[in-house]
Amino acid sequence: MTLLITGGAGFIGSHVVRLFVQRYPDYKIVNLDALTYAGNLENLRDIEQAPNYHFVRADIRDAVALKQVFETHRPDGVIHLAAESHVDRSISDPNAFIQTNVMGTANLLNAARAVWNHDVNGKRFYHVSTDEVYGSLGDSGLFMETTPYDPQSPYSASKAASDHLVRAFGNTYHLPFVITNCSNNYGPNQFPEKLIPLFIHNIRNGKPLPVYGDGKYTRDWLFVVDHARAIDLVFHQGKNGETYNIGGFNEWQNIELIRLLCTQMDEKLGRGAGTSAQLISYVRDRPGHDRRYAIDAGKIHRELGWSPSVTFEEGLSQTLDWYLANEEWLSHVTSGAYQDYYEKQYAG
Ligand code: NAD
Ligand code: TYD
């Protein structure tokens, strides 16, 4: 089995690559990543020498480069995570999201189709998507696999478009595919522009914690390692043409989550109770901010036996420990120094 994982140097992708490299020594794992600001090979330092691991620097917007990668490695499976992933960036630069998330996915589908030709037996295209394609919930209800798409941000619209393309290629060209739509992830190696790592970073440095709007927006949080476990299960046991929602059964209003984060940080840093919470600062809301996301993950639980392995308190505590022990990682991603790491590691 040769498996091409796109976006493997990013947050979730690096956890997926590590899991597959360690768990499946007989597979050849090819990590394809453009190493944008969000891609960091330091995330994979512990497994980069493994004999079943290969890295290819390529951009999914480049159809010619993709064709070459597919012809060279002839993957049996693709797990596609490469994307522009941050909602706030999609508001300031929507076209970057359309190019990578929509055109990039189309390029990947075309490349898979070309190399697999009509022999799709044993092949699988796994598209990793988000619950944000379903839009925003009111106070009640949960996103089901059957919930109609209603994306509200340029990010979620671009992910919705890519989901539609994957299904269309399945329907039109019989490309075997699976899609998962997952809720908000947290854990080690997340770029410090997303809520949890940004706030850890700011608390550490005594900087304000910018809470958008009234802070009563709700997200369903899942530990990234549990997402990677779900991807492993769906890749191996999911049914072709199916969609599975993945979530943490774990809804938090932002402000409640931030208070828990502040409490845990005060304990870990040995600061007096209530110190970090003083940094909370309400700021202008995100335009078009989705009020609530919540996933019904019953299908993957019933059909594949998946459920989260850690409680939120445990997962958050492990995450804070990781960030506090890896300040070097944080200073490298914030300074861009990991680019130097790439040049040294892959020189010549
Ligand atoms: P991330 O931003 O941390 O990583 C994205 C990776 O993709 C980086 O390594 C980057 O270098 C690479 N990449 C970006 N553009 C590329 C291009 N044009 N060509 C090749 N590589 C490129 O993202 P993440 O949070 O790890 O998310 C991974 C996937 O999971 C995305 O598809 C995202 O939509 C989806 N997802 C994320 C979450 C979440 O909470 N983070 C939740 C559900 C689904
Ligand atoms: P984020 O981590 O950007 O994920 P997403 O927008 O994909 O859900 O944001 C999570 C929630 O936290 C969201 O409701 C926006 C809010 N938020 C803030 O209040 N302040 C911040 O500085 C950030 C980055 C997010």
Side-chain angles (χ1 to χ4, degrees), residues 226-260:
D226 282 327
H227 189 187
R229 286 176 47 245
I231 289 174
D232 179 12
L233 262 183
V234 172
F235 181 74
H236 289 101
Q237 294 174 36
K239 285 200 204 108
N240 275 338
E242 289 287 320
T243 297
Y244 300 86
N245 282 350
I246 306 171
F249 304 98
N250 180 41
E251 282 185 57
W252 286 78
Q253 271 193 356
N254 290 343
I255 191 64
E256 297 303 329
L257 183 160
I258 292 160
R259 290 209 180 98
L260 174 65

Coordinates of all heavy atoms in Angstrom, one line a residue, residues 226-260:
D226 N -7.6 12.1 18.6 CA -8.8 11.3 18.4 C -9.3 11.5 16.9 O -9.9 10.6 16.4 CB -9.9 11.7 19.4 CG -9.6 11.1 20.8 OD1 -9.1 9.9 20.8 OD2 -9.9 11.7 21.8
H227 N -9.1 12.7 16.4 CA -9.4 12.9 15.0 C -8.6 11.9 14.1 O -9.1 11.3 13.2 CB -9.2 14.3 14.6 CG -9.8 14.7 13.2 ND1 -9.6 15.9 12.6 CD2 -10.5 14.0 12.3 CE1 -10.1 15.9 11.4 NE2 -10.7 14.8 11.2
A228 N -7.3 11.9 14.4 CA -6.4 11.0 13.6 C -6.8 9.5 13.7 O -6.9 8.8 12.7 CB -5.0 11.2 14.1
R229 N -7.3 9.1 14.9 CA -7.8 7.7 15.1 C -9.0 7.5 14.2 O -9.2 6.4 13.7 CB -8.1 7.5 16.6 CG -6.9 7.3 17.5 CD -7.3 7.2 19.0 NE -8.4 6.2 19.1 CZ -9.7 6.5 19.6 NH1 -10.0 7.7 19.9 NH2 -10.5 5.5 19.7
A230 N -9.9 8.5 14.2 CA -11.1 8.4 13.4 C -10.7 8.3 11.9 O -11.3 7.5 11.2 CB -12.0 9.6 13.6
I231 N -9.7 9.0 11.5 CA -9.3 9.0 10.0 C -8.8 7.6 9.7 O -9.1 7.0 8.6 CB -8.3 10.1 9.8 CG1 -9.1 11.5 9.8 CG2 -7.6 9.9 8.4 CD1 -8.2 12.7 9.7
D232 N -8.0 7.0 10.6 CA -7.5 5.7 10.4 C -8.7 4.7 10.2 O -8.7 3.9 9.3 CB -6.6 5.3 11.6 CG -6.0 3.9 11.6 OD1 -6.1 3.3 10.5 OD2 -5.5 3.5 12.6
L233 N -9.6 4.8 11.1 CA -10.8 3.8 11.0 C -11.6 4.0 9.7 O -11.9 3.0 9.1 CB -11.7 4.1 12.2 CG -11.7 3.3 13.4 CD1 -12.8 3.7 14.4 CD2 -11.9 1.8 13.1
V234 N -11.8 5.3 9.4 CA -12.7 5.5 8.2 C -11.9 5.1 6.9 O -12.4 4.5 6.0 CB -13.1 7.0 8.1 CG1 -13.8 7.3 6.8 CG2 -14.1 7.3 9.3
F235 N -10.6 5.4 6.9 CA -9.8 5.0 5.7 C -9.9 3.5 5.5 O -10.0 3.1 4.4 CB -8.3 5.5 5.9 CG -7.5 5.1 4.7 CD1 -7.7 5.9 3.5 CD2 -6.6 4.1 4.7 CE1 -6.9 5.5 2.4 CE2 -5.9 3.7 3.6 CZ -6.0 4.5 2.4
H236 N -9.8 2.8 6.6 CA -9.7 1.3 6.4 C -11.1 0.6 6.4 O -11.2 -0.4 5.8 CB -8.8 0.7 7.6 CG -7.4 1.0 7.4 ND1 -6.7 2.0 8.1 CD2 -6.4 0.5 6.5 CE1 -5.5 2.1 7.7 NE2 -5.3 1.2 6.8
Q237 N -12.0 1.2 7.1 CA -13.3 0.5 7.3 C -14.5 1.2 6.8 O -15.6 0.7 6.8 CB -13.5 0.1 8.8 CG -12.4 -0.9 9.3 CD -12.6 -1.2 10.8 OE1 -13.6 -1.2 11.3 NE2 -11.4 -1.3 11.4
G238 N -14.4 2.5 6.5 CA -15.5 3.3 6.0 C -16.0 2.7 4.7 O -15.2 2.1 3.9
K239 N -17.3 3.0 4.4 CA -17.9 2.5 3.1 C -17.7 3.5 2.0 O -17.8 4.7 2.2 CB -19.4 2.3 3.3 CG -19.7 1.0 4.1 CD -21.2 0.6 3.8 CE -21.7 -0.2 4.9 NZ -22.7 0.5 5.7
N240 N -17.3 3.1 0.8 CA -17.2 4.0 -0.3 C -18.4 4.8 -0.5 O -19.5 4.3 -0.4 CB -16.9 3.2 -1.6 CG -15.4 2.8 -1.8 OD1 -14.6 3.5 -1.2 ND2 -15.1 1.8 -2.5
G241 N -18.2 6.1 -0.8 CA -19.3 7.0 -1.2 C -20.0 7.5 0.1 O -21.0 8.3 0.0
E242 N -19.5 7.2 1.3 CA -20.2 7.6 2.5 C -19.5 8.8 3.1 O -18.4 9.1 2.9 CB -20.2 6.5 3.5 CG -21.1 5.3 3.2 CD -22.6 5.6 3.4 OE1 -22.9 6.3 4.4 OE2 -23.3 5.1 2.5
T243 N -20.3 9.5 3.9 CA -19.9 10.7 4.7 C -20.0 10.3 6.2 O -21.0 9.7 6.5 CB -20.7 11.9 4.4 OG1 -20.6 12.2 3.1 CG2 -20.3 13.1 5.3
Y244 N -19.0 10.6 7.0 CA -19.1 10.4 8.4 C -18.8 11.7 9.1 O -17.8 12.4 8.8 CB -18.1 9.4 8.9 CG -18.2 8.0 8.2 CD1 -17.7 7.8 7.0 CD2 -19.0 7.0 8.8 CE1 -17.8 6.5 6.4 CE2 -19.2 5.8 8.2 CZ -18.6 5.5 7.0 OH -18.8 4.3 6.4
N245 N -19.7 12.1 10.0 CA -19.4 13.3 10.9 C -18.5 12.8 12.1 O -18.8 11.8 12.7 CB -20.7 13.9 11.4 CG -21.4 14.7 10.4 OD1 -20.9 15.0 9.3 ND2 -22.6 15.2 10.7
I246 N -17.6 13.7 12.4 CA -16.7 13.4 13.6 C -16.8 14.6 14.6 O -16.6 15.7 14.1 CB -15.3 13.2 13.2 CG1 -15.1 12.1 12.0 CG2 -14.4 12.8 14.3 CD1 -13.7 12.1 11.4
G247 N -17.1 14.3 15.8 CA -17.1 15.4 16.8 C -16.8 14.9 18.2 O -16.7 13.7 18.4
G248 N -16.7 15.8 19.1 CA -16.2 15.4 20.4 C -17.3 15.2 21.5 O -17.0 14.9 22.6
F249 N -18.6 15.3 21.1 CA -19.7 15.3 22.0 C -19.4 16.3 23.1 O -19.5 16.0 24.3 CB -19.9 13.9 22.6 CG -20.2 12.8 21.6 CD1 -19.1 12.0 21.2 CD2 -21.4 12.6 21.0 CE1 -19.3 11.0 20.2 CE2 -21.6 11.7 20.1 CZ -20.6 10.8 19.7
N250 N -18.9 17.5 22.8 CA -18.2 18.3 23.7 C -18.3 19.8 23.3 O -17.4 20.5 22.9 CB -16.7 17.9 23.7 CG -15.8 18.7 24.6 OD1 -16.2 19.0 25.7 ND2 -14.7 19.1 24.1
E251 N -19.5 20.4 23.6 CA -19.8 21.8 23.2 C -19.4 22.7 24.3 O -19.7 22.5 25.5 CB -21.3 21.9 23.1 CG -21.9 21.4 21.8 CD -23.4 21.8 21.7 OE1 -23.7 23.0 21.8 OE2 -24.2 20.9 21.6
W252 N -18.7 23.8 23.9 CA -18.3 24.8 24.9 C -18.6 26.2 24.3 O -18.2 26.5 23.1 CB -16.8 24.8 25.2 CG -16.4 23.6 26.1 CD1 -16.3 22.3 25.7 CD2 -16.2 23.7 27.5 NE1 -16.0 21.5 26.8 CE2 -15.9 22.4 27.9 CE3 -16.1 24.7 28.4 CZ2 -15.5 22.1 29.2 CZ3 -15.8 24.4 29.7 CH2 -15.5 23.1 30.1
Q253 N -19.2 27.1 25.1 CA -19.2 28.5 24.7 C -17.8 29.0 24.8 O -17.1 28.7 25.8 CB -20.1 29.3 25.7 CG -21.6 29.3 25.2 CD -22.4 30.4 26.0 OE1 -21.9 31.0 26.9 NE2 -23.6 30.5 25.6
N254 N -17.4 29.9 23.9 CA -16.0 30.4 23.9 C -15.6 30.9 25.3 O -14.5 30.5 25.8 CB -15.8 31.5 22.9 CG -15.9 30.9 21.5 OD1 -15.8 29.7 21.2 ND2 -16.1 31.8 20.5
I255 N -16.4 31.7 25.9 CA -16.0 32.3 27.2 C -15.8 31.3 28.3 O -14.9 31.5 29.1 CB -17.0 33.5 27.6 CG1 -16.4 34.3 28.7 CG2 -18.4 33.0 27.9 CD1 -15.1 35.1 28.3
E256 N -16.6 30.2 28.3 CA -16.5 29.2 29.3 C -15.2 28.4 29.1 O -14.5 28.1 30.0 CB -17.7 28.2 29.3 CG -19.0 28.9 29.6 CD -19.0 29.6 30.9 OE1 -18.3 29.1 31.9 OE2 -19.7 30.6 31.1
L257 N -14.9 28.1 27.8 CA -13.7 27.4 27.5 C -12.5 28.3 27.9 O -11.5 27.8 28.5 CB -13.6 27.2 26.0 CG -12.5 26.4 25.4 CD1 -12.9 25.9 24.0 CD2 -11.2 27.3 25.2
I258 N -12.6 29.6 27.6 CA -11.4 30.5 27.9 C -11.2 30.6 29.4 O -10.1 30.6 29.9 CB -11.7 31.9 27.3 CG1 -11.7 31.8 25.8 CG2 -10.7 33.0 27.8 CD1 -12.4 32.9 25.0
R259 N -12.3 30.5 30.2 CA -12.2 30.6 31.7 C -11.5 29.3 32.2 O -10.6 29.3 33.0 CB -13.5 30.7 32.4 CG -14.1 32.1 32.1 CD -15.0 32.5 33.3 NE -15.6 33.9 33.0 CZ -16.8 34.1 32.5 NH1 -17.6 33.1 32.2 NH2 -17.1 35.3 32.2
L260 N -11.8 28.1 31.6 CA -11.2 26.9 31.9 C -9.7 26.9 31.6 O -8.8 26.5 32.4 CB -11.9 25.7 31.2 CG -11.2 24.3 31.4 CD1 -11.3 23.8 32.8 CD2 -11.9 23.3 30.5

